[in-house]
Amino acid sequence: MDAAEFRRRGKEMVDLIADYLENIEQRPVYPDVEPGYLRSLIPEEAPEEPDTYEDVVKDIERVIMPGVTHWHSPYFYAYFPTANSFPAMLADMLSGAIGCIGFSWAASPACTELETVMMDWLGKMLKLPEDFIAGTHGQGGGVIQGTASEATLVALLAARSRAVRMILASDPQRPETGITSKLVAYSSDQAHCSVERAGMIAGVRMKKIPTEQSDKYAVQGETLRRMIQEDKAAGLIPFYVRTEHTHPLLQYSGNAEKIWMHIDAAYAGSSFICPEFRPLLNGIEFADSFNFNPHKWLLVNFDCSTMWVRKRSDLIGAFKMDPLYLKHDHQESGRYFYTDNSLFRSLKMWFVFRMYGLKGLQDYIRKHVELAKEFESLVRADQRFEISADVVLGLVCFRLKGSNEVNETLLKRINNGRKIHLVPCQLSGQFVLRFAVCARTTESRHIREAWRLITQLAEEVMQELPH
Ligand code: PLP
């Protein structure tokens, strides 16, 4: 494909994308295929001679679309949102064209510098404490990761390295393996599974902090304090706490042991750009690192998981590598982060922040929260259902009053219908349905249609099963 053909095909692709997104709600949101469906649709080996572009495009509908779960359908209510906006898609095209890898400032100065400034812009939108803003002289700052899971791991590894360094500074004879085998990290029993995995990768003990329904499943500072004291008494070394909520940090603000506090607000973080939701981040002043995913709810397409640290040197110190081929003339002034930065993901932030403006982004978040409230009031108005957890942002956890079986059957019927898509969760032993407002194009009419379908299926299920 030469540049002339690329111009033509590129325009066609933009049309294809716009058509796909404009008509997405006509497609079943959830695919009807069996595992392995795709292999039989394409050759066993790559073609010896090139295929034509037309052949490739034809196969999008034949091979790919039947197996796609349409995350951007306004009938998709599963998991959490994943962002999708036209400015971000255009920026992604440009990023692909520039195609640089920013592993050092010199490898592409604009890549490192735009990321640094975009992280400051976003940090200021969130009203992060000044310590987390790089500016021109700050000690802290932000770096883009691929996912929140990566951010949790990176923070854990940096915390491990800091803990070992601190102990060795006061006890240089102590063997390092003797330290790491005693390290213990903590996270809520409600935490995302990526936390447990991070513990496995880092090779450290990860303890779950028990939570209660009566505390809205938030970690209590007192529980954490007790666990830390018991572990210290048993000769262990508490070094890392990861939480979605900040208030336990407030209660643990003494923190004489310098335990690393990481806040993971993967989904909720986007809402903190609205003053009315910013109190959810109170306590951030006690944290060492903070992360959330603009690629979830801030209209910046995957991947873009933003992570800030109070002290960049904690990350640089943990991951520093200085091979000759990465050295450059501006080594010190250009050094920003541990790798410095990577892909040109900040272009997506730049396009989105400029083309929506803070006001546009706030409106977007508020609209989703309103839609969730609308769904919540539909549930509350129906005596057969109950709300299972407070509705704070765009997620509604609800269930039919009755057995887990009846709720499991209801969810199966909902998803088998393929018109709307939801996933479950478990809260205090109860099978609960999660309704997350996800797509950029979701409107009130979609919410009402989803509720109509849910209640119609609930009627059927309740007639068939004792509840
Ligand atoms: N942490 C929390 C609190 C989450 O809600 C999620 C996903 O929803 C994750 C981590 C995982 O995010 P990622 O897929 O970016 O690793």
Side-chain angles (χ1 to χ4, degrees), residues 79-81 145-152 190-195 197 242-244 264-268 291-293 295-296 302 304-305 434:
Y79 316 110
F80 273 127
Q145 306 291 333
T147 61
S149 310
E150 272 173 64
T152 296
Q190 301 293 317
H192 190 264
C193 58
S194 54
V195 181
R197 197 181 320 125
R242 175 238 165 249
T243 172
E244 292 100 10
D264 170 6
Y267 163 68
N291 158 256
F292 85 99
N293 287 356
H295 72 231
K296 274 194 163 63
F302 189 83
C304 182
S305 183
R434 295 169 77 264

Side-chain angles (χ1 to χ4, degrees), residues 140-434:
V143 63
I144 303 176
Q145 306 291 333
T147 61
S149 310
E150 272 173 64
T152 296
L153 176 63
V154 164
L156 183 68
L157 294 173
R160 188 184 68 179
S161 161
R162 186 177 82 176
V164 170
R165 264 185 284 126
M166 276 168 46
I167 292 166
L168 286 179
S170 60
D171 185 3
Q173 302 312 320
R174 195 162 168 180
E176 199 170 317
T177 47
I179 301 171
T180 46
S181 65
K182 296 246 180 284
L183 291 175
V184 53
Y186 305 85
S187 186
S188 157
D189 61 359
Q190 301 293 317
H192 190 264
C193 58
S194 54
V195 181
E196 211 168 328
R197 197 181 320 125
M200 287 162 70
I201 297 171
V204 295
R205 220 172 296 211
M206 179 68 76
K207 289 200 171 179
K208 291 186 179 173
I209 313 164
T211 59
E212 301 290 340
Q213 187 173 21
S214 54
D215 298 321
K216 299 179 180 168
Y217 301 104
V219 168
Q220 297 305 294
E222 199 37 54
T223 315
L224 173 61
R225 193 197 311 274
R226 204 176 42 248
M227 288 175 77
I228 288 172
Q229 275 164 3
E230 283 169 12
D231 285 340
K232 276 168 60 182
L236 296 176
I237 309 169
F239 80 107
Y240 177 84
V241 177
R242 175 238 165 249
T243 172
E244 292 100 10
H245 299 271
T246 49
H247 73 258
L249 309 186
L250 279 171
Q251 294 172 34
Y252 200 69
S253 57
N255 197 6
E257 302 87 349
K258 286 219 164 295
I259 296 173
W260 184 295
M261 308 274 191
H262 177 64
I263 299 176
D264 170 6
Y267 163 68
S270 298
S271 74
F272 305 158
I273 63 165
C274 299
E276 66 273 32
F277 301 122
R278 177 58 178 75
L280 293 170
L281 191 59
N282 286 351
I284 178 76
E285 49 280 20
F286 299 110
D288 294 277
S289 54
F290 165 63
N291 158 256
F292 85 99
N293 287 356
H295 72 231
K296 274 194 163 63
W297 204 13
L298 210 59
L299 294 163
V300 182
N301 289 35
F302 189 83
D303 57 355
C304 182
S305 183
T306 44
M307 175 184 190
W308 288 263
V309 285
R310 182 180 296 281
K311 280 180 84 183
R312 294 205 301 274
S313 57
D314 283 336
L315 287 198
I316 295 169
F319 300 102
K320 190 171 178 180
M321 297 278 163
D322 261 339
L324 183 60
Y325 52 84
L326 291 184
K327 290 200 190 305
H328 53 82
D329 290 347
H330 304 283
Q331 192 77 18
E332 288 319 311
S333 63
R335 175 178 293 287
Y336 184 65
F337 253 117
Y338 56 104
T339 54
D340 295 8
N341 301 333
S342 51
L343 309 165
F344 222 152
R345 293 180 281 210
S346 54
L347 272 178
K348 292 182 287 193
M349 296 167 79
W350 197 44
F351 275 45
V352 168
F353 296 167
R354 294 181 67 185
M355 295 186 68
Y356 278 87
L358 176 57
K359 280 208 172 102
L361 295 170
Q362 288 171 334
D363 289 348
Y364 177 66
I365 297 285
R366 287 176 181 139
K367 182 175 169 194
H368 272 200
V369 176
E370 267 170 37
L371 290 170
K373 292 277 176 210
E374 181 177 349
F375 185 79
E376 180 191 11
S377 29
L378 291 168
V379 177
R380 286 198 190 277
D382 189 323
Q383 292 306 307
R384 296 167 300 176
F385 286 88
E386 61 193 0
I387 293 288
S388 308
D390 282 359
V391 179
V392 183
L393 298 168
L395 174 69
V396 184
C397 291
F398 72 107
R399 66 194 304 279
L400 272 169
K401 289 174 188 162
S403 66
N404 281 348
E405 189 195 358
V406 101
N407 281 285
E408 278 175 49
T409 310
L410 172 60
L411 184 67
K412 250 191 211 126
R413 296 274 167 95
I414 291 171
N415 286 333
N416 286 347
R418 299 178 205 288
K419 172 77 182 172
I420 61 174
H421 186 43
L422 278 71
V423 292
C425 68
Q426 201 171 44
L427 288 175
S428 301
Q430 288 196 319
F431 187 92
V432 168
L433 283 71
R434 295 169 77 264

